[in-house]
Amino acid sequence: MNGWQIALAVLAAVLVALLVMAIVSPRRFVRLPFRILLPILYRKRVIGLDNLPREGGCVVISNHLSWIDGILILWMLPRNVRFVVDGGNFTHPIAKYLGDAFDTIFMTGNPKSIGRALRAGRKALNDGDVVGIFPEGTLSRTGQLQAFKAGVTKILKGTEAPIVPMWMEGMWGSIFSFSGGKFFFKWPKQFRRTLTLYIGEPLPTKTPLEIARTRVQSLGARANIDQRKHYPILAKRMIRVWRRRGSELQAADSLGTEASGRDMLIRTLALRRTLAREVFSKDEQYVGVLLPPSVGGVVVNVALAMDRRISANLNYTVSSDVVNHCIREVGIKHVLTSERFMSKLDLDIDAEVVLLDSLAKKVTKMDKAIAFIQATLVPAWILDHVLGLSKIDGDDLLTIIFTSGSTGMPKGVLLSNANISHNVDAIERAVKLDTSDTVLGVLPFFHSFGYSVTLWAAMALGPRGIYHFNPLDSKQVGKLSEKYGVTVLLATPTFLRGYLRRVKPEQFAKLDAVVVGAEKMPKELFDGFEKQFGVRPVEGYGATELSPLVSVNIPPSRSSAVYQADRVEGSVGRPLPGIATRVLSPETGEEMLAGEDGMLMVTGPNVMKGYANQAEMTGKAIQDGWYVTGDIANVDDQGFIHITGRLSRFSKIGGEMVPHVRIEEELAKLFSEGDDDDQLRCCVTAVPDPKKGERLIVLHLASEKDIDTIRKGLSEAGLPNLFIPSRDGFQEVDAIPMLGTGKLDLKGAKEKAADLTQSPSSTA
């Protein structure tokens, strides 16, 4: 027998063996090609494998980002998993064979099929099998964890099987996920990606569904924390984004400045070089920035990032004492500003003030020439090394943002490159900002939302950024929006009220998405804005300590939801990808069920590194990796967060907790009844009371409304007597105390109330 005959015989024997295996042991036959192919395409890690019971029945539940999640989990686990799947996807004979090979439990939409699948699942658990469920019931279109369907609890009924939470990390961006807004027909973002399966501790059979969901979500947050150093370094990202923009407009402002992507990069590199030579010492870390939202403000912040320095955008709406407190807190030596802007401020700065107007004269022809060459000719990866950007670690600080000081002196929040980069990535997934967008930046850069979103996200994700220094200047906002075709507006309800009164509908003609935060959005403002401009705003939620974004409702025009809602009005949305929340009882620390109010806790790669020089305060704010927000909230059965108040915005009266926000909601309706604008007319605070602990005070603008009628209206709205301020608790003021960020000034309101009632005030 010659060589080719031997080879043919061997091949025939192999084929026969495979055929026999396909008939006798379908599972081994199907696993064989997967065991060969998947290691070529992916690297795998399993964390917490000891949490998977080695024997006996259990239900594994996991997030669902890609079409092949089930195959991947089967590849990564040592035990076979009998997945409950939609039988409609397995009608082809080959697909049916593959499913049968792993004893898959098929289920279709009709009641009989559902009943059979549930019975099969229970039998499998009682027989000691592992049953797998993707409880969201559909693939996530954003990476956010959606609501869990009740099938998990139904299968567990009548069994004692534990629930094993899991999280698959690494498939977002693959051709099998919905990244980029579509499945399959796209280039994968990376080849031979690393997949990590996180397995949590088993939960008792009767664990409430919402608690099981929280455990899965927490594993997702842990995965993203572990992966935080893989988020793009934003300074490096800007080089590539601005180069791609080229000669097209990248940024403009109300000062008349317009700059292309190439212009932005050249200016930034030239400024970086000049600052390093003329201003900074080699070891200088923190640099103060005192500039409004503008093209210049963007250039300065990015230049500092490219020079590996830590920016500290200072609040120019507060007193010199507060600004200098911030400067001392981190040892700022230089504050960058402009002569034109500084002349408008009544500030005495305890640091060396660097006027960028004067510094511009020190930019040499050599600086400009080198910046041009770097921006246009030097390959980006080489430029990364030349600038030292390759040395930046995700945990290195990018900025320090000082809190608003609404309840006391501002605290310096230390935010890393990974903190801000995660926010940018989450915005890209959820809100889908891209090169077709134009973002209006009216939020100051000393505000975490303005810094992370209107500066970094707007620049790094490719939209054009249009900036104006005064968010209350409605006429200029309207003009800029019309001139540049603004599509995305980020604001607060206070700012929207002004736009309703002074912006013409045609000026917001191209407006496509409006996201608001910082304060509760009343329904009347939702309705009024949509009626006038044809766009219904959505609410989001965040905190400076969280970089700042936690959650957002998806704007209707950006929604890709299928089968599950991604927007619930009255909520602040679901947590963004990589972020987990839970609600704990302030008294017992017990985790609350769906709809139950408690302290909102947040974890994820967005949690700050800490407060500057405040180790004790940091320890109180971050507990076991969870940030204590101070907000009272509940999470509904769909996973949407509802903020019902802030712990500091409750008064303890006669032993009962009285929410200020709930009273304000009803007062707003009563004070504005019959008026056609949405002006903020009142706020609720409290002063000490010797008998009941505290007394409610309403600060309100001048009104023809009768106070007794207002109090009667509160009662008719169903508020308990304890929630209704006394008649002398209503105090007229010239203006409601507000911060420059558009938030209510809680400290100022409390002090004003104390002055008006001659009661001693207390500050946090």
Side-chain angles (χ1 to χ4, degrees):
M1 184 178 291
N2 56 35
W4 69 267
Q5 289 174 322
I6 294 174
L8 189 61
V10 170
L11 178 61
V14 169
L15 291 175
V16 170
L18 289 174
L19 181 60
V20 171
M21 183 186 293
I23 298 171
V24 176
S25 182
R27 187 179 303 169
R28 289 186 179 179
F29 176 73
V30 172
R31 274 186 182 268
L32 182 62
F34 287 145
R35 288 185 182 278
I36 296 172
L37 179 63
L38 290 177
I40 297 173
L41 300 176
Y42 304 104
R43 302 180 186 90
K44 71 174 179 178
R45 291 194 312 152
V46 180
I47 295 177
L49 185 58
D50 289 346
N51 289 323
L52 180 70
R54 294 187 178 184
E55 57 184 25
C58 66
V59 170
V60 298
I61 56 175
S62 177
N63 62 318
H64 200 14
L65 290 182
S66 80
W67 285 105
I68 62 170
D69 285 342
I71 293 172
L72 294 171
I73 291 174
L74 284 165
W75 171 51
M76 299 176 88
L77 292 182
R79 297 185 64 183
N80 183 56
V81 181
R82 298 189 61 186
F83 279 102
V84 180
V85 302
D86 181 358
N89 295 324
F90 288 80
T91 55
H92 192 278
I94 295 178
K96 181 70 164 56
Y97 175 81
L98 292 174
D100 288 338
F102 294 102
D103 297 325
T104 301
I105 300 171
F106 298 111
M107 180 172 64
T108 58
N110 68 74
K112 288 185 178 180
S113 176
I114 294 173
R116 284 195 300 269
L118 292 175
R119 289 191 294 274
R122 292 187 197 116
K123 183 178 185 303
L125 291 173
N126 289 324
D127 289 344
D129 293 338
V130 179
V131 174
I133 298 176
F134 296 111
E136 296 168 272
T138 182
L139 289 168
S140 174
R141 262 58 177 178
T142 62
Q144 291 171 287
L145 191 67
Q146 304 168 99
F148 278 11
K149 305 295 185 182
V152 178
T153 54
K154 291 179 180 178
I155 282 181
L156 285 165
K157 189 176 181 180
T159 77
E160 296 182 358
I163 305 169
V164 181
M166 294 183 177
W167 182 275
M168 172 68 74
E169 180 64 27
M171 282 305 289
W172 185 262
S174 76
I175 62 172
F176 302 106
S177 71
F178 199 70
S179 62
K182 57 185 176 182
F183 292 113
F184 303 118
F185 301 105
K186 57 179 179 287
W187 284 104
K189 291 187 176 181
Q190 65 185 91
F191 294 94
R192 201 152 190 265
R193 57 180 61 238
T194 297
L195 307 181
T196 307
L197 183 65
Y198 289 80
I199 306 175
E201 294 181 2
L203 303 171
T205 308
K206 295 185 179 180
T207 299
L209 193 60
E210 56 265 46
I211 302 297
R213 183 180 181 278
T214 299
R215 296 295 184 274
V216 173
Q217 193 179 64
S218 298
L219 290 173
R222 177 186 169 188
N224 277 264
I225 292 170
D226 289 349
Q227 298 294 315
R228 66 190 182 281
K229 294 188 179 182
H230 295 288
Y231 287 112
I233 299 300
L234 292 172
K236 295 167 67 173
R237 190 169 184 173
M238 291 314 308
I239 293 171
R240 292 149 177 83
V241 170
W242 282 348
R243 277 187 169 181
R244 284 198 299 270
R245 176 69 75 173
S247 60
E248 296 179 12
L249 180 68
Q250 176 65 63
D253 60 33
S254 55
L255 300 174
T257 307
E258 293 186 344
S260 67
R262 187 180 301 116
D263 292 337
M264 293 292 287
L265 188 52
I266 293 172
R267 292 182 191 187
T268 299
L269 292 169
L271 177 62
R272 171 200 171 276
R273 182 179 173 84
T274 305
L275 286 170
R277 183 184 65 245
E278 300 289 342
V279 178
F280 303 140
S281 60
K282 188 175 182 180
D283 60 347
E284 189 169 345
Q285 280 191 302
Y286 296 97
V287 180
V289 180
L290 205 58
L291 290 169
S294 59
V295 173
V298 173
V299 169
V300 167
N301 276 278
V302 179
L304 292 175
M306 286 190 178
D307 200 33
R308 292 186 289 161
R309 304 192 191 269
I310 303 164
S311 64
N313 286 269
L314 300 171
N315 187 342
Y316 42 77
T317 69
V318 297
S319 66
S320 296
D321 287 342
V322 174
V323 171
N324 289 323
H325 161 79
C326 298
I327 288 173
R328 289 191 303 271
E329 193 73 7
V330 293
I332 291 171
K333 297 177 182 178
H334 294 94
V335 174
L336 308 182
T337 186
S338 70
E339 186 173 6
R340 180 177 179 180
F341 187 61
M342 196 66 183
S343 66
K344 298 178 180 180
L345 305 175
D346 183 21
L347 292 176
D348 185 14
I349 304 297
D350 290 345
E352 184 177 342
V353 175
V354 179
L355 298 177
L356 295 169
D357 324 62
S358 302
L359 187 68
K361 300 173 184 177
K362 297 182 179 181
V363 179
T364 66
K365 291 182 180 179
M366 181 63 73
D367 292 328
K368 295 177 182 177
I370 291 176
F372 177 81
I373 292 170
Q374 289 177 332
T376 58
L377 301 178
V378 179
W381 65 272
I382 293 179
L383 189 55
D384 292 341
H385 288 278
V386 170
L387 300 179
L389 303 183
S390 297
K391 298 178 182 178
I392 298 176
D393 185 271
D395 284 338
D396 291 343
L397 291 181
L398 177 64
T399 190
I400 179 168
I401 301 283
F402 289 92
T403 58
S404 62
S406 63
T407 59
M409 265 301 190
K411 300 181 289 290
V413 176
L414 304 173
L415 298 176
S416 68
N417 279 271
N419 286 150
I420 305 298
S421 191
H422 165 267
N423 260 220
V424 171
D425 176 75
I427 292 165
E428 182 178 28
R429 292 200 203 185
V431 184
K432 301 180 178 64
L433 290 186
D434 58 31
T435 54
S436 65
D437 281 313
T438 300
V439 177
L440 182 63
V442 294
L443 297 175
F445 295 158
F446 62 73
H447 187 286
S448 55
F449 206 113
Y451 181 83
S452 293
V453 183
T454 61
L455 195 166
W456 282 110
M459 292 293 106
L461 297 178
R464 298 187 298 176
I466 310 300
Y467 299 96
H468 181 52
F469 60 88
N470 184 2
L472 297 173
D473 184 1
S474 304
K475 291 184 179 180
Q476 187 62 45
V477 165
K479 290 178 182 178
L480 286 170
S481 297
E482 185 173 27
K483 179 178 180 180
Y484 293 104
V486 166
T487 61
V488 178
L489 173 63
L490 308 163
T492 70
T494 296
F495 301 156
L496 292 193
R497 291 185 181 96
Y499 304 157
L500 262 179
R501 292 194 295 271
R502 298 185 181 91
V503 175
K504 300 174 183 177
E506 60 268 22
Q507 293 178 313
F508 277 171
K510 292 190 177 180
L511 197 60
D512 179 71
V514 179
V515 181
V516 296
E519 55 181 297
K520 183 72 173 177
M521 179 84 169
K523 185 178 185 304
E524 295 76 12
L525 192 51
F526 276 116
D527 296 338
F529 198 91
E530 182 180 31
K531 181 179 179 181
Q532 184 159 325
F533 301 115
V535 180
R536 195 164 187 87
V538 298
E539 287 185 274
Y541 168 75
T544 304
E545 291 86 347
L546 298 169
S547 307
L549 295 179
V550 173
S551 62
V552 69
N553 285 288
I554 308 300
S557 61
R558 308 293 169 114
S559 175
S560 54
V562 177
Y563 308 121
Q564 286 221 22
D566 55 12
R567 175 173 63 97
V568 170
E569 200 159 288
S571 80
V572 292
R574 286 197 185 105
L576 288 162
I579 297 173
T581 61
R582 63 183 182 186
V583 176
L584 303 182
S585 166
E587 289 80 24
T588 66
E590 180 184 357
E591 187 165 351
M592 311 301 284
L593 300 179
E596 295 180 345
D597 281 353
M599 177 62 68
L600 181 64
M601 312 281 284
V602 178
T603 190
N606 59 325
V607 175
M608 66 172 178
K609 296 196 72 173
Y611 294 119
N613 304 315
Q614 298 279 356
E616 185 178 350
M617 194 172 290
T618 299
K620 291 179 180 178
I622 303 175
Q623 300 176 5
D624 296 326
W626 291 80
Y627 173 66
V628 184
T629 66
D631 288 315
I632 302 300
N634 68 72
V635 177
D636 65 23
D637 58 2
Q638 299 297 301
F640 288 88
I641 303 169
H642 298 257
I643 306 295
T644 56
R646 184 157 181 83
L647 195 59
S648 61
R649 298 222 63 204
F650 280 74
S651 288
K652 198 162 189 177
I653 301 176
E656 296 290 332
M657 297 297 287
V658 178
H660 296 179
V661 174
R662 177 73 184 91
I663 302 168
E664 282 176 352
E665 289 174 350
E666 297 302 331
L667 285 172
K669 299 175 186 176
L670 295 166
F671 272 112
S672 63
E673 191 175 3
D675 297 315
D676 58 359
D677 65 69
D678 291 282
Q679 183 181 7
L680 184 64
R681 292 181 167 84
C682 64
C683 73
V684 176
T685 184
V687 297
D689 182 84
K691 294 182 179 179
K692 294 187 176 182
E694 286 187 282
R695 181 163 68 95
L696 295 173
I697 301 295
V698 178
L699 303 180
H700 64 91
L701 301 180
S703 173
E704 296 180 358
K705 304 291 193 302
D706 178 67
I707 298 303
D708 288 331
T709 302
I710 294 288
R711 296 182 70 244
K712 183 180 179 182
L714 292 176
S715 178
E716 291 174 348
L719 267 61
N721 289 335
L722 200 64
F723 288 27
I724 301 175
S726 62
R727 197 180 198 290
D728 62 358
F730 286 78
Q731 297 288 333
E732 185 178 317
V733 294
D734 295 330
I736 303 300
M738 301 294 291
L739 297 170
T741 57
K743 288 184 179 180
L744 184 65
D745 184 354
L746 302 180
K747 180 184 176 185
K750 185 178 283 289
E751 291 174 347
K752 174 69 74 173
D755 290 342
L756 292 172
T757 61
Q758 297 182 339
S759 297
S761 65
S762 61
T763 57

